[in-house]
Amino acid sequence: MADDLRMTLEHVSERFNLGEYEIDAYLAVLEHGELTASEIADRTDIPQPRVYDTVRSLSDRSLVELRESRPMQVVAIDPETAFGDLQSSFTELVDELTARYTAPARDTEAVSLVKSRATIIRYLTEIIESAEYELTLSLTPSLVTEFEETLRAQIDSGVSIELLVTPAREAPDPADFDYQAVATTVRAREGITTPVLAVADGTDSIYATQDALRDDRDRYGVIFSRSALGFLVSGFFETVLWTTAETLSTTPTERAFPRRYASIRRAVKDIRDLGGDFYATVEGRDTQTGEPVVISGAVEDIEFRENESVASLLVDTGDDEIRVGGLVAAFESIEGQAIHIGRESPPEV
């Protein structure tokens, strides 16, 4: 089996290992059906002395037929015939490779660097699909289209989605695209320097440059898998990107209470916008000692600045009034890591 698999891999590799001249010549012949060497040279950038070697290489791969006449004719072969055996070999190859595939343990590394567009897209997909209650996204317009159905499904399942579309000049007009079907709030930001990122429930996240999605540029992305460092991505999004973008669409939230939040900013905004009495259960840690804590009580007050640089809750536990901030809080007593908000009583966790 190992020898057969290796032979199949070598066969597929050999057929696809075409140089620039071979590709140009093949496409020219395919388009015209039949050409002479001189005609190929005229229609491509292949130097005349290299044409014969190029077409003979194509002939050796059974991609064209050479008719030894004067002048020699290079005749196209129907692609279904030329690649028919390759298609079968490739299908068998994928089946055999899949059978050998051992899925890597995703949780072994909290942070990892990836350098493949396909890998970045795969991780984006996994993170978007894994969100259970909160999703933060910065996507190019083409990625919005690519993930449209997945985002619609997440909205339908009750996930709150903040979507940043960049660059703004390429974002679809709200009159032509149903943003409310794919996100709770949508903003657009200028500049190709804005990164592509996704954060699911404040934990799993990915950060990549827009260049990472272009085949002609250096590519990299950083993956945070269940890592506390993921707050760096979320915090950067909230303080740098989101606050410097223009709103395209806002959907009044209709999620039932109790609700769970990874971002205190979103929790405070919902409390402010909806009004009335609220209760909170906050899982986090003491900002002075670092010890894990859980507090519950009525929400007595909120603090929120319109530039979104400050957001906090004041929770009355019955014994004390405690100020709760977000991740890496410094001035508040508690760093809120998971914030549960209810209407009638503090939610149980």
Side-chain angles (χ1 to χ4, degrees):
M1 176 66 72
D3 290 342
D4 291 343
L5 179 57
R6 181 174 293 278
M7 290 177 62
T8 302
L9 274 170
E10 290 175 351
H11 176 59
V12 172
S13 176
E14 179 184 355
R15 293 295 295 276
F16 277 118
N17 188 24
L18 299 176
E20 181 180 351
Y21 289 163
E22 291 164 321
I23 292 172
D24 290 345
Y26 178 64
L27 293 177
V29 174
L30 199 65
E31 181 179 356
H32 294 87
E34 181 176 336
L35 292 174
T36 65
S38 296
E39 289 171 334
I40 292 174
D42 291 340
R43 288 168 170 78
T44 67
D45 293 328
I46 305 172
Q48 180 76 39
R50 296 292 305 276
V51 172
Y52 286 96
D53 288 342
T54 300
V55 297
R56 291 193 187 281
S57 176
L58 293 175
S59 176
D60 290 342
R61 290 177 168 84
S62 300
L63 298 179
V64 299
E65 175 186 336
L66 301 184
R67 294 180 181 171
E68 301 291 349
S69 58
R70 291 186 180 275
M72 182 177 68
Q73 297 291 322
V74 185
V75 182
I77 295 177
D78 188 329
E80 290 190 1
T81 301
F83 291 99
D85 63 325
L86 183 61
Q87 182 175 355
S88 176
S89 297
F90 191 73
T91 301
E92 294 174 3
L93 173 63
V94 172
D95 290 342
E96 291 181 17
L97 292 176
T98 300
R100 284 173 172 248
Y101 172 67
T102 299
R106 299 294 184 199
D107 296 330
T108 55
E109 295 185 358
V111 182
S112 56
L113 184 70
V114 295
K115 296 184 178 180
S116 160
R117 183 185 188 279
T119 303
I120 292 171
I121 294 297
R122 174 166 58 81
Y123 272 101
L124 271 173
T125 302
E126 291 179 2
I127 290 171
I128 291 173
E129 292 178 345
S130 70
E132 296 180 359
Y133 55 92
E134 192 173 283
L135 184 59
T136 297
L137 294 170
S138 173
L139 301 176
T140 62
S142 62
L143 288 176
V144 173
T145 301
E146 184 170 344
F147 290 112
E148 180 177 355
E149 293 304 316
T150 304
L151 294 176
R152 285 176 178 269
Q154 287 291 63
I155 284 290
D156 291 342
S157 67
V159 176
S160 176
I161 301 177
E162 286 189 341
L163 171 62
L164 184 69
V165 184
T166 180
R169 68 178 183 277
E170 297 177 9
D173 191 300
D176 302 322
F177 185 84
D178 188 5
Y179 284 111
Q180 293 187 2
V182 299
T184 310
T185 305
V186 183
R187 294 185 181 182
R189 189 174 190 268
E190 295 292 347
I192 62 170
T193 56
T194 305
V196 171
L197 63 82
V199 185
D201 303 332
T203 54
D204 289 332
S205 58
I206 180 172
Y207 177 103
T209 64
Q210 288 191 44
D211 288 346
L213 304 172
R214 299 185 178 93
D215 292 335
D216 61 339
R217 303 289 183 90
D218 290 338
R219 301 184 291 275
Y220 76 89
V222 183
I223 312 297
F224 299 90
S225 298
R226 298 289 171 184
S227 169
L229 294 176
F231 80 85
L232 293 172
V233 181
S234 182
F236 175 72
F237 176 89
E238 293 179 2
T239 59
V240 177
L241 303 182
W242 193 248
T243 57
T244 55
E246 297 294 329
T247 300
L248 291 181
S249 172
T250 300
T251 304
T253 180
E254 298 178 356
R255 289 191 300 143
F257 285 93
R259 299 178 185 175
R260 181 180 176 183
Y261 298 87
S263 164
I264 194 168
R265 177 174 58 85
R266 296 185 186 92
V268 170
K269 286 181 69 175
D270 279 357
I271 291 172
R272 181 198 65 178
D273 294 343
L274 295 173
D277 295 332
F278 289 93
Y279 298 83
T281 298
V282 180
E283 300 172 89
R285 61 178 176 172
D286 188 295
T287 58
Q288 298 301 314
T289 67
E291 292 296 317
V293 295
V294 178
I295 65 167
S296 297
V299 177
E300 290 297 315
D301 186 32
I302 61 172
E303 183 179 7
F304 183 77
R305 295 183 184 173
E306 288 305 318
N307 64 4
E308 305 191 18
S309 61
V310 174
S312 67
L313 299 171
L314 184 64
V315 179
D316 184 355
T317 65
D319 298 323
D320 197 5
E321 291 187 344
I322 301 176
R323 180 67 65 175
V324 178
L327 295 174
V328 298
F331 300 107
E332 296 81 9
S333 300
I334 302 296
E335 176 196 60
Q337 298 172 337
I339 302 159
H340 308 261
I341 302 295
R343 274 295 201 180
E344 299 178 355
S345 62
E348 295 183 3
V349 297

